[in-house]
Amino acid sequence: RKEVEQDPGPFNVPEGATVAFNCTYSNSASQSFFWYRQDCRKEPKLLMSVYSSGNEDGRFTAQLNRASQYISLLIRDSKLSDSATYLCVVNNFGNEKLTFGTGTRLTIIP
Amino acid sequence: DAGVIQSPRHEVTEMGQEVTLRCKPISGHDYLFWYRQTMMRGLELLIYFNNNVPIDDSGMPEDRFSAKMPNASFSTLKIQPSEPRDSAVYFCASTSDRILSGANVLTFGAGSRLTVL
C-alpha cells in the first residue's frame, strides 16, 4: 500500500462549482500535513498546511481526520486559475522527509 | 531572493553517459532535498542534506546515483552511467525550518528535465 494515496482524477469541474479532494495516509505516526499545488511543467508550491482543527484560507478549506487517516481539500467558487495538480503531503514524526501523493489533477471548465 | 536555482533546465543524453545536475539553494536554508518526479511514481525523495551533511539517502535508486553538497550554496546529483529509465524531472528543494515544526515551506527549484535516449 502506498504511504499517501490520492484519486488521480482528472476532475473536470465547471467554473464556480465546489470541488473536494481526499487523500489517505497509511502511517498513523504522521504528524504534519500539507497541500501543495503544481501547475503544468512547473515546480510544486505550498498551498496550505493542514491543522488538526481544520483551517481555511479564502476559498480553500483543509480538514484532517486522524482517526480515519485522511486529509481533504475543499475549493469553493472555483476559478479557471485553480486548474492544476494538487499534491497531498505528509511528514512522519522523527524525520524531515515529506512524502508526496501522486496528485489529483483538476481542470476548471469555463 | 532568486529562489532555488537548478541547472540545466533540460538535458538530453544517450544511455551510458554521465549526467550532472546542479542546485543552488536559497541562502540561509540549511536543508536541501533532491526529488525525482515521473508520471508513474510521482515525486520521490532521493536524498536530503542538513548543514551539507547527507542525512538520508535511502531513496537513491542504486549505486549509479550519487549526490554531494560541498558547501552551503551548492549541491550536485550525478548519474553514471545513465539509463533510459532515469528519464524524469529532478527537483531540488530547500528550507530553513524543521519540517516537524509544521510551519515548514519547502521551496522547489524549477527542475531539471532529463531525457536519456
Side-chain angles (χ1 to χ4, degrees):
Chain A
R1 184 185 170 188
K2 287 184 180 177
E3 200 168 337
V4 180
E5 294 205 62
Q6 295 183 250
D7 182 341
F11 284 61
N12 297 315
V13 174
E15 193 174 5
T18 295
V19 60
F21 310 133
N22 282 336
C23 161
T24 58
Y25 60 95
S26 61
N27 190 337
S28 59
S30 296
Q31 290 290 309
S32 303
F33 309 91
F34 311 89
W35 284 101
Y36 275 67
R37 170 195 167 127
Q38 186 173 23
D39 293 308
C40 188
R41 302 181 79 85
K42 298 284 189 180
E43 71 274 22
K45 293 182 180 178
L46 179 69
L47 176 67
M48 58 196 302
S49 300
V50 185
Y51 301 119
S52 296
S53 55
N55 48 297
E56 193 173 301
D57 183 1
R59 298 182 292 108
F60 298 82
T61 301
Q63 299 258 332
L64 168 64
N65 185 318
R66 286 189 185 272
S68 301
Q69 293 181 208
Y70 80 79
I71 308 151
S72 65
L73 177 68
L74 182 80
I75 306 174
R76 290 181 299 277
D77 186 24
S78 53
K79 312 288 184 192
L80 296 176
S81 57
D82 295 333
S83 297
T85 296
Y86 290 83
L87 302 165
C88 175
V89 187
V90 306
N91 166 250
N92 299 325
F93 183 75
N95 64 66
E96 306 303 312
K97 295 160 92 166
L98 285 180
T99 301
F100 285 75
T102 51
T104 298
R105 187 170 174 183
L106 171 67
T107 300
I108 305 300
I109 303 165
Chain B
D1 197 323
V4 176
I5 299 172
Q6 290 187 246
S7 65
R9 290 294 310 278
H10 302 273
E11 173 126 359
V12 180
T13 191
E14 292 187 344
M15 183 173 65
Q17 295 298 305
E18 177 180 301
V19 173
T20 299
L21 307 178
R22 298 172 179 80
C23 176
K24 177 177 168 38
I26 291 173
S27 178
H29 283 191
D30 50 8
Y31 285 91
L32 183 141
F33 301 78
W34 282 101
Y35 282 87
R36 175 173 70 175
Q37 187 173 39
T38 60
M39 287 292 291
M40 291 299 296
R41 301 172 67 95
L43 266 168
E44 301 174 284
L45 178 64
L46 300 177
I47 185 171
Y48 78 92
F49 296 82
N50 179 220
N51 291 321
N52 314 337
V53 176
I55 302 300
D56 188 333
D57 65 354
S58 60
M60 296 286 262
E62 47 198 273
D63 292 345
R64 296 185 298 108
F65 286 70
S66 62
K68 294 182 180 179
M69 192 164 186
N71 58 62
S73 59
F74 184 65
S75 177
T76 59
L77 177 68
K78 187 174 292 189
I79 309 172
Q80 181 183 17
S82 57
E83 296 182 3
R85 60 191 167 124
D86 301 331
S87 298
V89 181
Y90 290 81
F91 286 104
C92 176
S94 70
T95 184
S96 61
D97 300 313
R98 291 207 66 194
I99 292 186
L100 294 176
S101 73
N104 167 270
V105 178
L106 262 189
T107 302
F108 283 81
S112 293
R113 185 173 295 272
L114 174 64
T115 303
V116 183
L117 303 174

